[in-house]
Amino acid sequence: MADLAKLPVTIITGFLGSGKTTLISHLMQNPGGKRLAVVVNEFGDVGVDGEILKGCAIPDCPAENIMELANGCICCTVADDFIPTIEALMALDPRPEHILIETSGLALPKPLLKAFDWPDIRSKITVDGVIALADAEAVAAGRFAPDVAKVDAQRLADDSIDHETPLSEVFEDQISCADIILLTKPDLAGPEGVAKAKQIIAAEAPRPLPVVEVAEGAVDPRVILGLEAAAEDDMEARPSHHDGHDDHEHDDFDSVVIDIPEIDDPAQLVGMIETLANTQNVLRVKGYASVAGKPMRLLVQAVGARVRHQYDRPWVPGAPRQGRLVVIGEHHDIDTAAIRAVLAPAAEPAE
């Protein structure tokens, strides 16, 4: 059992667009009597998730309890960023009773667990649990390998060759490190898709794991908080593709930030993002846009060709109505010139 004198931390991991921010927003509104703090680690320097969560701040999780670590993996910046952030949260008055860490969708959770072994914080905090979110529709569709059947056939023919894509390794590492799996967007997958996703997860998990279907992040906090897993002491049970490596690489993925001027119609921008997904194979687009005649900022979130947008808050008086998108993909798919060409005429010319 975890040392109850230590401050519990829950790591929330999951692939791009799996619903991590939606889950944390729900927990902030339904904290189960706990005073929460949140650390958001994003890939790319547009702090979309942190902005969303700060907009959901309530007395039990005020804006000052929400901290962002942008454009860098937490586990690679332990001394410079991670430990000072945790110490700053612990120094708040009143002190948080539980910290939630939202990892980047590209993050490997096990190296982050190792950060909790640092002497500066090991005696003060414990990893209450690792929660992995998995998009039911995406998992059921087998998007973590280009052609699952063909890869399996090749593996049978020559099991000395590793045919897994970087995306599959990220997914499998997240599942392997988890204490609970939240299967999100079950409505989009349908009953057959949900069943298939559960079958895939069970095949990848190194041990039996509870799988809970969750729509719109709505889960009872008692299900995922207070697990007392002390995960930092249980790393041997959480195998990773990267075990035995002194460092882990992030070169498989890259991002580019595109500034866009005011647009006339959100549908036009949605069409451009769909084209990016279909022609440039980008994984994720997120950011903001300014729509002519609208007093509020347009929040844009896309996973592949699935694009969601909504007006999230008024523009700050005096601030330039400038849109900005971060585009994330596998390294070999990030062609800045091609991405700008697709986003034209929305994108400003490259400098």
Side-chain angles (χ1 to χ4, degrees):
M1 181 174 290
D3 181 355
L4 297 181
K6 295 182 180 181
L7 181 62
V9 175
T10 294
I11 297 173
I12 298 175
T13 185
F15 199 67
L16 296 160
S18 60
K20 298 185 297 296
T21 304
T22 301
L23 171 67
I24 293 177
S25 298
H26 175 79
L27 291 174
M28 288 171 59
Q29 301 295 323
N30 304 273
K34 300 178 184 294
R35 187 164 52 252
L36 301 179
V38 179
V39 178
V40 182
N41 188 209
E42 298 210 60
F43 190 87
D45 62 0
V46 179
V48 176
D49 296 343
E51 284 280 346
I52 294 172
L53 293 175
K54 287 178 181 178
C56 300
I58 60 172
D60 280 341
C61 189
E64 58 267 26
N65 283 31
I66 303 169
M67 296 192 176
E68 296 176 74
L69 296 176
N71 205 27
C73 173
I74 293 177
C75 52
C76 294
T77 57
V78 174
D80 294 335
D81 294 322
F82 178 60
I83 289 178
T85 297
I86 294 295
E87 290 178 335
L89 289 175
M90 294 179 67
L92 291 172
D93 186 13
R95 182 188 181 193
E97 296 170 323
H98 203 114
I99 297 175
L100 309 176
I101 297 180
E102 177 187 344
T103 70
S104 158
L106 303 177
L108 303 176
K110 191 167 182 180
L112 176 56
L113 275 184
K114 295 178 180 178
F116 287 87
D117 201 35
W118 275 57
D120 289 349
I121 59 174
R122 180 172 175 80
S123 63
K124 303 173 185 176
I125 61 178
T126 182
V127 181
D128 181 69
V130 179
I131 312 302
L133 278 65
D135 182 315
E137 183 186 38
V139 174
R143 293 177 189 160
F144 305 105
D147 187 330
V148 177
K150 186 176 292 185
V151 168
D152 286 343
Q154 290 175 330
R155 185 176 291 122
L156 287 173
D158 184 355
D159 59 10
S160 68
I161 301 176
D162 182 5
H163 296 282
E164 293 174 320
T165 68
L167 299 186
S168 71
E169 290 191 5
V170 171
F171 172 70
E172 290 162 15
D173 277 17
Q174 290 171 349
I175 295 299
S176 295
C177 199
D179 295 290
I180 291 180
I181 310 296
L182 299 185
L183 198 58
T184 62
K185 306 173 188 175
D187 54 322
L188 297 179
E192 290 185 5
V194 166
K196 185 174 181 180
K198 288 182 177 179
Q199 185 179 36
I200 292 171
I201 289 169
E204 297 295 349
R207 60 195 182 283
L209 292 173
V211 178
V212 180
E213 295 177 40
V214 174
E216 299 298 331
V219 62
D220 190 321
R222 294 173 298 179
V223 174
I224 60 175
L225 303 183
L227 301 181
E228 300 183 359
E232 70 276 14
D233 295 327
D234 187 36
M235 286 191 284
E236 292 301 318
R238 303 165 192 266
S240 165
H241 285 280
H242 299 78
D243 285 340
H245 294 253
D246 292 332
D247 298 298
H248 62 283
E249 300 294 333
H250 298 275
D251 293 342
D252 293 328
F253 305 101
D254 205 350
S255 67
V256 60
V257 175
I258 306 293
D259 290 327
I260 59 173
E262 193 166 76
I263 61 175
D264 294 321
D265 183 4
Q268 180 187 21
L269 183 57
V270 168
M272 293 174 182
I273 294 173
E274 290 173 343
T275 299
L276 273 182
N278 293 327
T279 64
Q280 301 299 318
N281 199 33
V282 302
L283 303 172
R284 187 86 158 91
V285 178
K286 57 182 179 178
Y288 313 104
S290 173
V291 181
K294 300 294 184 181
M296 299 187 73
R297 186 179 65 176
L298 186 73
L299 172 67
V300 181
Q301 300 260 30
V303 182
R306 198 165 69 207
V307 186
R308 300 176 66 177
H309 58 86
Q310 66 187 67
Y311 294 100
D312 68 330
R313 67 164 175 80
W315 286 95
V316 176
R321 292 177 59 111
Q322 174 72 59
R324 174 167 285 193
L325 301 175
V326 57
V327 181
I328 304 170
E330 293 192 64
H331 183 76
H332 59 271
D333 288 324
I334 293 295
D335 182 332
T336 301
I339 291 170
R340 287 186 181 278
V342 172
L343 288 176
E348 292 182 341
E351 295 182 0

